[in-house]
């Protein structure tokens, strides 16, 4: 086979959703694996659904995620233009060629007539009414300025079979194939027509797309055959579900790449997770860098069955990527999240980062996980009772004033995590307590919470002496009233 050429052909109708990004990813990986080319084509023939800014978002997302296209609207290439609206004039020429050869025909039917056709399972099938119009009549009506579309003339009997790499041989009854519109009354081609013309003209020999196109593909194959063009190889991908019943779909506003970024996921984890939505490597590895994806990807690993978008698994994977970040990288990501939280400007960023780095799965958790640093007040003193740490309310009442005394001795530079920690351990030793019998009440006294990121000394270090002392005093008071 000549050089492999795959394409990603999104319609600029809004955010780049997970399904679209997966198509782009698989098409990219498959092309690269085979030393082929990956092409971006913008399918904007449905002007009614065009969303301002969507094209730029597609470019940006592909660039950001490393899905670099070899040819595309903004990078050019030998088959430019790569935006369908800029290729508008091409399509009519090809449609007319099909009319000449009897594979397509002009149709003048009005909305009204189309709406009066019998509906079968909610769909009205066109009845080939205009197929019988003579050439002269067609010309006369066009000259008179009548509105028309051009329809594909489908066979009505027999069946059509083609091979899909994932789903095997697909057979569709020709009676199910509609005389689909190729050119609309505004002169624009439909997606159904333009994708075939462009795939051929752009030399695309491998078409990868969502399973929703599986049953339309025979219609496209009739177009290839009518022109005498070679059909591409087809790779349809399994649906991505929200749950067992519902598809993850952009129309009902489900996750887009941008949404995930704004929820605190990192692009490496998103791409890694998306790769697993419908594909797995032979060795079943789950965490894979972009380079590993490139070396492990194979179409044999694409599953037929639907995959469920599982936010919990994505978060788990994201957590692994966060944990392996070095300090600087973590800080670069965490900084904007800290800045837009209530923590902003109140604490030392490096200390906050050290405290939280190993304890979050997404950056969005920072604010909630560290909220105790800015929020402190009445809490249940039962928290001092901890069987495992052997602490009680009574014993904590004895511990806290001593913690206060120990902390009093530290100040300025000596007020640091290590010294604070040592002071607590020293206290335990002096009194013959277990470490937990000091550490547990000290941490509760500073946070009023059963569990927090970090221990008493980490927290005291970040809070600073004044706030630490205020909280200990508050807790001593609270305990004095407890039973
Ligand atoms: N423009 C179509 C879409 O966004 C592309 C389908 C295809 O890849 O052929 O769904």
């Amino acid at each position: 086979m000549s050089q492999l050429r795959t394409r990603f052909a999104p319609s600029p109708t809004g955010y780049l959703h997970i399904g679209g990004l997966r198509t782009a990813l698989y098409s990219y990986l498959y092309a690269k694996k085979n030393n082929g080319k990956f092409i971006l084509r913008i399918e904007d023939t449905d002007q009614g659904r065009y969303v301002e800014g969507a094209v730029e978002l597609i470019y940006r997302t592909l660039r950001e995620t490393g899905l670099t296209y070899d040819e595309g609207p903004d990078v050019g290439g030998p088959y430019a233009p790569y935006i369908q609206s800029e290729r508008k004039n091409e399509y009519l020429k090809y449609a007319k060629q099909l009319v000449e050869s009897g594979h397509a025909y002009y149709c003048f039917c009005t909305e009204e007539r189309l709406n009066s056709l019998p509906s079968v399972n909610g769909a009205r099938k066109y009845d080939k009414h205009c197929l019988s119009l003579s050439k002269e009549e067609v010309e006369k009506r066009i000259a008179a300025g009548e509105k028309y579309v051009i329809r594909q003339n489908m066979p009505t009997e027999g069946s059509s079979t083609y091979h899909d790499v994932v789903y095997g041989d697909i057979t569709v009854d020709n009676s199910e194939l509609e005389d689909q519109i190729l050119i609309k009354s505004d002169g624009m081609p439909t997606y159904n027509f333009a994708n075939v013309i462009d795939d051929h003209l752009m030399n695309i020999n491998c078409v990868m797309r969502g399973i929703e196109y599986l049953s339309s593909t025979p219609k496209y194959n009739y177009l290839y055959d009518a022109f005498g063009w070679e059909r591409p190889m087809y790779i349809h991908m399994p649906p991505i579900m929200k749950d067992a019943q519902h598809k993850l779909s952009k129309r009902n506003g489900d996750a887009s790449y941008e949404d995930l970024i704004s929820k605190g996921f990192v692009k490496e984890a998103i791409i890694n997770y998306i790769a697993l939505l419908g594909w797995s490597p032979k060795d079943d590895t789950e965490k894979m860098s972009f380079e590993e994806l490139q070396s492990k990807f194979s179409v044999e690993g694409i599953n037929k069955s639907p995959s469920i978008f599982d936010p919990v698994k994505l978060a788990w994977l994201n957590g692994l990527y966060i944990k392996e970040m070095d300090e600087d990288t973590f800080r670069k990501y965490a900084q904007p999240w800290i800045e837009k939280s209530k923590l902003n400007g109140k604490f030392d960023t490096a200390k906050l980062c050290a405290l939280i780095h190993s304890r979050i799965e997404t950056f969005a958790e920072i604010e909630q996980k560290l909220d105790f640093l800015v929020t402190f007040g009445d809490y249940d003193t039962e928290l001092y009772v901890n069987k495992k740490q052997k602490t009680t309310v009574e014993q904590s009442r004895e511990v806290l004033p001593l913690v206060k005394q120990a902390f009093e001795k530290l100040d300025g530079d000596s007020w640091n995590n290590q010294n604070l920690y040592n002071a607590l351990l020293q206290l335990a030793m002096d009194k013959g307590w277990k470490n937990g019998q000091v550490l547990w009440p000290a941490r509760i006294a500073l946070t009023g919470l059963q569990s927090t990121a970090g221990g008493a000394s980490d927290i005291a270090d970040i809070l600073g002496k004044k706030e630490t002392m205020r909280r200990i005093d508050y807790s001593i008071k609270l305990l004095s009233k407890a039973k």
Side-chain angles (χ1 to χ4, degrees), residues 7 9-11 43 191 195 208-209 213:
R7 90 301 195 268
S11 302
E43 303 209 321
Y191 156 75
N195 91 90
M208 300 175 81
R209 62 183 161 217
Y213 293 98

Side-chain angles (χ1 to χ4, degrees), residues 199-216:
D199 281 342
H200 171 73
L201 295 179
M202 296 179 178
N203 240 333
I204 302 297
N205 47 21
C206 174
V207 168
M208 300 175 81
R209 62 183 161 217
I211 190 173
E212 60 274 23
Y213 293 98
L214 197 67
S215 62
S216 315

Side-chain angles (χ1 to χ4, degrees), residues 208-466:
M208 300 175 81
R209 62 183 161 217
I211 190 173
E212 60 274 23
Y213 293 98
L214 197 67
S215 62
S216 315
T217 297
K219 298 191 275 194
Y220 309 143
N221 284 332
Y222 276 112
L223 291 172
Y224 281 100
D225 297 351
F227 286 115
W229 296 339
E230 198 178 331
R231 298 177 183 182
M233 165 164 104
Y234 291 108
I235 301 178
H236 286 92
M237 289 165 250
I240 304 177
M241 311 289 287
K242 186 174 170 162
D243 52 44
Q245 278 84 37
H246 304 93
K247 265 188 82 173
L248 192 72
S249 97
K250 57 177 175 182
R251 291 202 187 169
N252 58 37
D254 280 322
S256 68
Y257 174 77
E258 299 277 308
D259 286 338
L260 295 177
I261 292 288
S262 71
K263 285 181 181 159
F265 292 94
V266 297
K267 64 176 187 221
E268 291 81 0
I270 300 174
I271 288 294
N272 186 160
Y273 182 65
I274 286 179
L276 299 174
L277 287 172
W279 169 80
S280 48
K282 279 202 196 79
D283 57 9
D284 280 333
T285 321
E286 296 201 292
K287 182 169 178 296
M288 283 167 282
S289 66
F290 196 56
E291 289 68 35
E292 283 170 305
L293 286 176
Q294 296 199 39
S295 72
K296 287 184 195 260
F297 188 79
S298 72
V299 288
E300 291 75 33
I302 300 181
N303 313 315
K304 284 195 185 72
S305 43
S307 51
I308 293 189
F309 182 86
D310 177 1
V312 175
K313 185 159 180 189
L314 170 60
W316 165 77
L317 208 48
N318 202 64
L320 299 184
Y321 279 89
I322 289 182
K323 279 185 191 73
E324 73 179 21
M325 284 178 182
D326 59 35
E327 260 174 56
D328 287 347
T329 312
F330 181 83
R331 188 174 171 156
K332 204 180 84 212
Y333 275 100
Q335 185 107 32
W337 289 90
I338 293 173
E339 280 167 12
K340 66 181 176 193
S341 77
K342 284 190 262 167
L343 303 163
N344 186 31
K346 299 198 173 86
F347 306 100
D348 181 294
T349 306
K351 287 181 184 173
L352 291 180
C353 287
L355 184 63
I356 205 71
H357 190 156
S358 63
R359 295 179 168 96
I360 50 169
E361 289 188 327
T362 72
F363 286 96
E365 288 170 55
I366 291 182
E367 176 155 33
Q368 177 259 322
K369 285 229 155 107
L370 294 183
D371 183 64
F372 67 88
L373 293 174
V374 283
T375 311
F376 178 75
D378 196 23
Y379 59 87
D380 185 355
T381 49
E382 276 305 299
L383 287 176
Y384 285 99
V385 184
N386 183 325
K387 281 210 180 91
K388 201 172 140 223
Q389 306 292 358
K390 301 197 170 19
T391 58
T392 61
V393 167
E394 195 55 41
Q395 183 258 358
S396 302
R397 230 180 245 142
E398 194 184 340
V399 172
L400 290 190
L402 298 176
V403 168
K404 187 180 169 186
Q405 254 177 38
F407 281 2
E408 284 294 4
K409 293 183 196 132
L410 302 170
D411 219 344
D413 281 351
S414 69
W415 186 271
N416 62 49
N417 195 349
Q418 193 59 54
N419 288 348
L420 291 158
Y421 188 66
N422 292 344
L424 295 172
L425 293 198
Q426 187 63 47
L427 172 61
M429 200 143 74
D430 292 348
K431 300 297 269 183
W433 287 322
K434 287 182 174 302
N435 292 348
Q437 288 179 298
V438 174
L439 297 176
W440 180 266
R443 200 186 50 78
I444 299 293
L446 294 182
T447 63
L449 293 174
Q450 170 133 28
S451 70
T452 50
S457 60
D458 305 278
I459 295 166
D461 181 25
I462 291 178
L463 289 176
K465 185 165 184 178
K466 195 165 157 226

Side-chain angles (χ1 to χ4, degrees), residues 28 32 37-40 61-71 75 290:
Y28 171 88
K32 295 299 138 184
K37 294 266 191 253
F38 171 57
I39 287 99
L40 172 68
T61 309
L62 295 180
R63 212 153 277 148
E64 208 174 292
T65 50
L67 305 181
T68 319
Y69 35 96
D70 301 294
E71 299 165 27
V75 297
F290 196 56

